[in-house]
Amino acid sequence: MALWMETGSEPKTETEIADLEAISALKESTALELKEKGNELVKKGKKHYPEAIHCYSRAINQKALNDPDTSVLFSNRAHVNLLLGNYRRALSDSQDAIKLFPANVKAYYRAAKACLSLNLLAEAKSYCESGVGKDPTNEELKKLAKQIDLKKLEQEPREAQVSKALVEAKDLVSAIEDRRLKLGNAMYRELTGLRKPVLDKNGILHWPVLLLYAEFMSSDFIEDFCETDMFSAHLDIMFSESCPPLPWDKENHYSRDAIELYYEAGSGICLSKRKILRYLLEGTAAANVESIGEEEKDAADGSPYDSSAGSSKWVKVNEKRTLHDVLKEPNFIIPMIPVYYVVSKRSGFYKDFITGKWRPPA
């Protein structure tokens, strides 16, 4: 009997030919019945959608229909996948339908719908245009094309903001690298918030600088400390005689002639370029962008300036030096924004500080 013929062999007798024709007719009939059953299930509502997909799949697996009819099966299954929110599967089925029968206009519509749901706007518009090319009077495709154009218009400002944020952050990272500065994990985020350095149009870095009065754990901010400024210039303004005394400095220890600035050297681990870029993107339109283009050959954390194995120490800042000169010190890992500790030589706390008896809170 033809049913048991070996694969690749041709029917020779009239009986074998008749058997094969009967099998083909049975498979075709089964495929058509499954298709109609799938259609009926779709009409019954959402809880029947998975069963409808199963019917269409079984019909496709019969491999008994011609290309246009099989294309309809793929397109129907794409329709149900769209209804279920299975947009990738819907797109794949629509593409298979188009390959089998390029005149299947519904397949173009469903491919465009799937792409729109996946935010593949260029591809969605392309499928709409191809579908209208096959059927210039198709109003559904024209309406969908307008929806796609509207979504593109809505996204363009957002995409421009994302692009701008990425460019600015990458320019900042390049400027930091060019200066051979080392950045580590942020400290005192409750005080610093989302403050970040800014690169001006002349390529000069402007840093927000946190000043911590270690004795009282109070703080001040220099919001715009140009890297070419000397520390003395800012301190002269902050501690000038015309400025009111600090509210907690009851004994007036923190005067211009008595204060000293220190940074903590040998503390922290230098972060990778990718992590620095991620930090700089926080709070921007590009904060949640998956790919930032810096994943390749990125140096690991701790290389090459890992000082965590050694003990940290306080280093006094020479007020006549610029911010840039101090930041580029080999032993200074910037905790995302510069942090300096202010102490007074007149205070009893001073000795505890410089001898290392006081440590920043963890």
Side-chain angles (χ1 to χ4, degrees), residues 97-98 100-106 108 134:
I98 292 167
L100 285 166
F101 188 53
N104 187 341
V105 176
K106 284 186 177 180
Y108 288 103
K134 303 292 182 184

PDB file of all heavy atoms in Angstrom, residues 97-98 100-106 108 134:
ATOM      1  N   ALA A  97       3.859  34.109   6.169  1.00  0.00           N
ATOM      2  CA  ALA A  97       2.706  34.241   5.273  1.00  0.00           C
ATOM      3  C   ALA A  97       3.070  35.033   4.020  1.00  0.00           C
ATOM      4  O   ALA A  97       2.687  34.670   2.892  1.00  0.00           O
ATOM      5  CB  ALA A  97       1.547  34.909   6.007  1.00  0.00           C
ATOM      6  N   ILE A  98       3.832  36.109   4.202  1.00  0.00           N
ATOM      7  CA  ILE A  98       4.237  36.951   3.072  1.00  0.00           C
ATOM      8  C   ILE A  98       5.188  36.193   2.142  1.00  0.00           C
ATOM      9  O   ILE A  98       5.101  36.303   0.913  1.00  0.00           O
ATOM     10  CB  ILE A  98       4.881  38.251   3.582  1.00  0.00           C
ATOM     11  CG1 ILE A  98       3.814  39.121   4.267  1.00  0.00           C
ATOM     12  CG2 ILE A  98       5.550  39.015   2.451  1.00  0.00           C
ATOM     13  CD1 ILE A  98       4.381  40.276   5.079  1.00  0.00           C
ATOM     14  N   LEU A 100       5.261  33.005   1.584  1.00  0.00           N
ATOM     15  CA  LEU A 100       4.511  32.004   0.829  1.00  0.00           C
ATOM     16  C   LEU A 100       3.635  32.638  -0.244  1.00  0.00           C
ATOM     17  O   LEU A 100       3.477  32.084  -1.339  1.00  0.00           O
ATOM     18  CB  LEU A 100       3.629  31.195   1.785  1.00  0.00           C
ATOM     19  CG  LEU A 100       4.349  30.165   2.657  1.00  0.00           C
ATOM     20  CD1 LEU A 100       3.446  29.678   3.774  1.00  0.00           C
ATOM     21  CD2 LEU A 100       4.818  28.981   1.798  1.00  0.00           C
ATOM     22  N   PHE A 101       3.078  33.798   0.054  1.00  0.00           N
ATOM     23  CA  PHE A 101       2.160  34.442  -0.893  1.00  0.00           C
ATOM     24  C   PHE A 101       2.247  35.953  -0.726  1.00  0.00           C
ATOM     25  O   PHE A 101       1.561  36.546   0.100  1.00  0.00           O
ATOM     26  CB  PHE A 101       0.734  33.955  -0.637  1.00  0.00           C
ATOM     27  CG  PHE A 101      -0.262  34.402  -1.675  1.00  0.00           C
ATOM     28  CD1 PHE A 101      -0.047  34.169  -3.035  1.00  0.00           C
ATOM     29  CD2 PHE A 101      -1.417  35.068  -1.297  1.00  0.00           C
ATOM     30  CE1 PHE A 101      -0.973  34.583  -3.989  1.00  0.00           C
ATOM     31  CE2 PHE A 101      -2.346  35.487  -2.240  1.00  0.00           C
ATOM     32  CZ  PHE A 101      -2.121  35.234  -3.594  1.00  0.00           C
ATOM     33  N   PRO A 102       3.124  36.609  -1.486  1.00  0.00           N
ATOM     34  CA  PRO A 102       3.369  38.048  -1.326  1.00  0.00           C
ATOM     35  C   PRO A 102       2.141  38.930  -1.545  1.00  0.00           C
ATOM     36  O   PRO A 102       2.182  40.117  -1.223  1.00  0.00           O
ATOM     37  CB  PRO A 102       4.443  38.340  -2.382  1.00  0.00           C
ATOM     38  CG  PRO A 102       5.117  37.021  -2.598  1.00  0.00           C
ATOM     39  CD  PRO A 102       4.037  36.000  -2.471  1.00  0.00           C
ATOM     40  N   ALA A 103       1.051  38.372  -2.086  1.00  0.00           N
ATOM     41  CA  ALA A 103      -0.147  39.171  -2.306  1.00  0.00           C
ATOM     42  C   ALA A 103      -1.099  39.137  -1.109  1.00  0.00           C
ATOM     43  O   ALA A 103      -2.188  39.719  -1.175  1.00  0.00           O
ATOM     44  CB  ALA A 103      -0.878  38.682  -3.558  1.00  0.00           C
ATOM     45  N   ASN A 104      -0.700  38.491  -0.020  1.00  0.00           N
ATOM     46  CA  ASN A 104      -1.546  38.394   1.166  1.00  0.00           C
ATOM     47  C   ASN A 104      -1.506  39.720   1.936  1.00  0.00           C
ATOM     48  O   ASN A 104      -0.652  39.942   2.791  1.00  0.00           O
ATOM     49  CB  ASN A 104      -1.068  37.235   2.054  1.00  0.00           C
ATOM     50  CG  ASN A 104      -2.006  36.966   3.222  1.00  0.00           C
ATOM     51  OD1 ASN A 104      -2.817  37.808   3.600  1.00  0.00           O
ATOM     52  ND2 ASN A 104      -1.897  35.770   3.787  1.00  0.00           N
ATOM     53  N   VAL A 105      -2.441  40.592   1.646  1.00  0.00           N
ATOM     54  CA  VAL A 105      -2.438  41.945   2.205  1.00  0.00           C
ATOM     55  C   VAL A 105      -2.653  41.926   3.723  1.00  0.00           C
ATOM     56  O   VAL A 105      -2.057  42.730   4.453  1.00  0.00           O
ATOM     57  CB  VAL A 105      -3.508  42.811   1.513  1.00  0.00           C
ATOM     58  CG1 VAL A 105      -3.594  44.195   2.159  1.00  0.00           C
ATOM     59  CG2 VAL A 105      -3.185  42.952   0.030  1.00  0.00           C
ATOM     60  N   LYS A 106      -3.487  41.004   4.198  1.00  0.00           N
ATOM     61  CA  LYS A 106      -3.712  40.918   5.651  1.00  0.00           C
ATOM     62  C   LYS A 106      -2.412  40.602   6.397  1.00  0.00           C
ATOM     63  O   LYS A 106      -2.209  41.060   7.525  1.00  0.00           O
ATOM     64  CB  LYS A 106      -4.756  39.853   5.955  1.00  0.00           C
ATOM     65  CG  LYS A 106      -6.183  40.281   5.646  1.00  0.00           C
ATOM     66  CD  LYS A 106      -7.176  39.233   6.109  1.00  0.00           C
ATOM     67  CE  LYS A 106      -8.610  39.690   5.861  1.00  0.00           C
ATOM     68  NZ  LYS A 106      -9.588  38.662   6.308  1.00  0.00           N
ATOM     69  N   TYR A 108       0.558  41.652   5.593  1.00  0.00           N
ATOM     70  CA  TYR A 108       1.306  42.913   5.723  1.00  0.00           C
ATOM     71  C   TYR A 108       0.736  43.739   6.873  1.00  0.00           C
ATOM     72  O   TYR A 108       1.481  44.340   7.665  1.00  0.00           O
ATOM     73  CB  TYR A 108       1.232  43.707   4.417  1.00  0.00           C
ATOM     74  CG  TYR A 108       2.046  43.124   3.297  1.00  0.00           C
ATOM     75  CD1 TYR A 108       1.428  42.404   2.276  1.00  0.00           C
ATOM     76  CD2 TYR A 108       3.430  43.285   3.242  1.00  0.00           C
ATOM     77  CE1 TYR A 108       2.159  41.864   1.236  1.00  0.00           C
ATOM     78  CE2 TYR A 108       4.177  42.746   2.205  1.00  0.00           C
ATOM     79  CZ  TYR A 108       3.537  42.030   1.204  1.00  0.00           C
ATOM     80  OH  TYR A 108       4.278  41.483   0.186  1.00  0.00           O
ATOM     81  N   LYS A 134       0.288  46.659  -2.678  1.00  0.00           N
ATOM     82  CA  LYS A 134      -0.486  45.528  -3.208  1.00  0.00           C
ATOM     83  C   LYS A 134      -1.961  45.870  -3.339  1.00  0.00           C
ATOM     84  O   LYS A 134      -2.652  45.372  -4.223  1.00  0.00           O
ATOM     85  CB  LYS A 134      -0.339  44.317  -2.272  1.00  0.00           C
ATOM     86  CG  LYS A 134       1.093  43.857  -2.018  1.00  0.00           C
ATOM     87  CD  LYS A 134       1.727  43.266  -3.247  1.00  0.00           C
ATOM     88  CE  LYS A 134       3.150  42.780  -2.931  1.00  0.00           C
ATOM     89  NZ  LYS A 134       3.838  42.283  -4.153  1.00  0.00           N
TER      90      LYS A 134
END
